[in-house]
Amino acid sequence: SRHVGSADFEDIRHFLGALLDHFEITPEPETSLTGDRVALLSHAPPNFLPNTQKSPVRTEFNLTTYNS
């Protein structure tokens, strides 16, 4: 958010990294029946213009992009 200072942004980034360390990540996300699924969405990218046909949601990566 543009209203979050750089120090707060770094705190949030470190918190999310520490949080992800506690999830059970599967090496086979497309076929595994176990493991946590996490999605990170940017709801208002810096170039977003309201009242346009462009979606404010941007996919950073799919859930099956990485194996670890």
Side-chain angles (χ1 to χ4, degrees), residues 3-67:
H3 300 291
V4 174
S6 60
D8 289 335
F9 178 82
E10 285 300 316
D11 288 344
I12 293 168
R13 193 172 71 89
H14 289 293
F15 169 74
L16 289 174
L19 183 68
L20 289 173
D21 287 340
H22 294 284
F23 286 110
E24 178 186 336
I25 307 299
T26 178
E28 299 295 333
E30 292 184 18
T31 60
S32 177
L33 298 176
T34 63
D36 301 300
R37 297 197 176 233
V38 177
L40 177 63
L41 300 173
S42 176
H43 286 276
N47 59 349
F48 173 69
L49 299 172
N51 301 319
T52 64
Q53 297 299 320
K54 185 177 177 185
S55 173
V57 178
R58 180 179 69 207
T59 302
E60 297 293 337
F61 57 86
N62 291 316
L63 294 175
T64 57
T65 299
Y66 301 103
N67 292 337

